[in-house]
Amino acid sequence: MGQFIGFAFWAVTVMAMGYTALVIADPHGRARNFEALGLSFLIGTGVMTIEMFFMSLLGIRFSPGRIVLPWCLIIPAVSFILKPWRVNRFEFRFPVLNRIEWLLSSGILFEALYALFRAGIKPFESYDSVAIYALKAKIFYFAGMVPKDFFSMLPAHFHGAHPDYPFYMSLGITSIYCFIGAFNDFLGALFLPMIFCAFLAVFHAVLKNILMSRTRALLYTFMLVSVQQFNAYAANGYTDLPLGAFFGLAVMYLYMAFTREEAAYMRSGMIFTLLALWTKNEGLALLLIMIFVVTLFAVRHRQQFFKLIKPSAACIPGIFLMTGVFLFMKVKDKVINENFNLSMVTAHNLASGLSKVPMILYEYQKHLFGFKKWNLIWMILVLALVIFRRKIRSGKIGYVALAVGLFFIFYSAMYVFSSVDSDYLLRTTGSRFMLHILPVCVFLIALLERE
Amino acid sequence: MKLSRALFIKLLAALWVVIWMNFILRDLTLGKKFSEYSSLLRRDAEQRRSLIYGDELYSFLNFSSGNVPSGASYELAGLDPFSLEYRRAAYYLYPRVPSGSPDYILAYHSQGYSRPGYAVLKEKDKAGLILKKE
């Protein structure tokens, strides 16, 4: 019983931290109701794990009291300055749904509950979870922090535990252990499906806001949640779903910033780019994609860009600070990723890697027709891109399509340059990498079909 | 006959739902998820872990963690270091850490296992034995 109270306290703390960050990023209350709740949870997990990382750098051991302590000052200060009670974010009314909306809502609810059930009924057991994320969470919990010798200790004892991976997932699970005061990986396993549920709430709310149609927003949310591969990764302890979710939300908020010229959306987009960076190494590639897209927007719409970027500028040092600190630590301890790192980007690897292109294209083709994992999603995407190709060149949809295009170029380049056996790499990463772009692709389909 | 856009979307949606339900039901029935879930629901936390890890491996890991102190180093013999079972074992046994020069050798499914400089500490039926550095 005590552990469940601790778990509830953890959830409330995460929400309070996230809500405070949301009030700072979006003081005028653009995000409301379930979107605000979902954002509070997602941002809260990011804020808490980043705080824990910096606590470790300062040699402070984890405890609920120490994690909450700074917020006893931050929350009153933010409340005093921004007076969040002036904005009415929460006005819940039970919506009147038609028959189709009931069916779609039931499907979404089923998948969300099913993911929570699957995760909570067993301890961490899948390969990467026990070899990497849950293992690191256990190490952090027993050490009371990220140990000072972590980057050298981990590879010395645990082959393939990837010390170079960012700590979002592991520290998120550790935070649960800290608040419940025990190592309980049945409760720790709930971290991922809770991220999944919060993401669904935000994804649906943003879609509804953009498409101005609840039915369509429910339809596309159902489409995403019912992709078998997406749902499978909501409960297996891997970080590919959070990365895809954060990148998806970053692109969606960026699109809203471009179309509505509201800086709050730009800040939300930046926050989720930072969270993607904090979740997996691939987040760095996604950051480059975002920088490329924003730069293109800045060149084409200079005035609007400055209107968006000036009030959002405070987020930029945050992104560079996180990137810098983490990269510095990895460089200092000579931690590199064996699958892909910048030393592999050479003319020799490019020349030899070009012969892998047919194999890479074959891998994409397998997913295009992989109904079991992907249902019809990739075929619908291709169909939508062909039918509505003119829309891509007009309006702001092009920026979303550009992000998708750059994603495939960057990830394909990674396969081309990598020195690892490409058959093995494609087999073990192909279907997971596609998850990183899936929410953006569903968003793109929704945008194309809307008009 | 010209296919209207609305009808096309409806057909696509219907096909989507059929594929979705087909794979969920197949997973639950043919993939035996349903029987696994109902079996898990009837067990407590320890029994669930035992079911997931495999009864024999779990009982050996439990036996090992009871006899090897926290922080000690070990080598796990009898399992491929790249196998899922090995990863689960290393995860379960932490804060005991695998090492090339271990204090203990956990010999899973290896009756009669011996190594110079190590003596048998405890034995667990057919599941395996623990050796300690002399």
Side-chain angles (χ1 to χ4, degrees), chain A residues 340-353 413 416-419:
Chain A
F340 179 75
N341 57 66
L342 286 179
S343 71
M344 292 177 184
V345 184
T346 61
H348 173 262
N349 278 359
L350 175 65
S352 60
V416 167
F417 283 108
S418 175
S419 311

Side-chain angles (χ1 to χ4, degrees), chain A residues 71-90:
Chain A
W71 297 88
C72 296
L73 293 174
I74 296 170
I75 292 174
V78 169
S79 303
F80 179 74
I81 296 165
L82 295 172
K83 299 183 174 53
W85 51 86
R86 284 184 184 172
V87 179
N88 186 16
R89 281 184 198 268
F90 301 105

Side-chain angles (χ1 to χ4, degrees), chain A residues 71-140:
Chain A
W71 297 88
C72 296
L73 293 174
I74 296 170
I75 292 174
V78 169
S79 303
F80 179 74
I81 296 165
L82 295 172
K83 299 183 174 53
W85 51 86
R86 284 184 184 172
V87 179
N88 186 16
R89 281 184 198 268
F90 301 105
E91 199 180 7
F92 290 107
R93 275 175 301 172
F94 198 79
V96 182
L97 304 175
N98 63 34
R99 206 172 51 180
I100 296 286
E101 289 170 347
W102 268 114
L103 285 171
L104 293 168
S105 305
S106 306
I108 295 165
L109 195 63
F110 166 76
E111 289 286 20
L113 293 175
Y114 189 39
L116 282 164
F117 169 76
R118 289 196 325 268
I121 201 169
K122 49 188 175 184
F124 289 110
E125 46 108 13
S126 63
Y127 197 96
D128 275 17
S129 69
V130 289
I132 307 172
Y133 309 109
L135 174 69
K136 286 182 188 174
K138 199 172 177 183
I139 292 170
F140 298 158

Side-chain angles (χ1 to χ4, degrees), chain B residues 40-79:
Chain B
L40 283 167
L41 279 173
R42 288 194 300 269
R43 293 164 180 237
D44 64 23
E46 285 308 295
Q47 291 169 333
R48 283 179 193 175
R49 198 185 297 276
S50 180
L51 182 77
I52 297 295
Y53 283 27
D55 292 333
E56 212 168 8
L57 175 63
Y58 181 68
S59 89
F60 180 69
L61 293 177
N62 225 347
F63 165 72
S64 301
S65 63
N67 288 290
V68 176
S70 288
S73 61
Y74 67 87
E75 182 187 311
L76 189 54
L79 281 175

Side-chain angles (χ1 to χ4, degrees), chain A residues 356-393:
Chain A
K356 298 177 195 166
V357 171
M359 200 189 288
I360 296 166
L361 292 176
Y362 178 72
E363 180 69 21
Y364 288 143
Q365 176 275 138
K366 273 194 332 199
H367 294 296
L368 182 65
F369 298 107
F371 304 125
K372 187 178 177 188
K373 282 184 178 172
W374 303 105
N375 207 318
L376 302 167
I377 194 70
W378 301 121
M379 281 193 266
I380 292 175
L381 175 68
V382 171
L383 205 65
L385 286 171
V386 171
I387 295 173
F388 304 112
R389 61 189 175 280
R390 287 204 182 113
K391 285 185 196 167
I392 297 169
R393 273 175 281 172

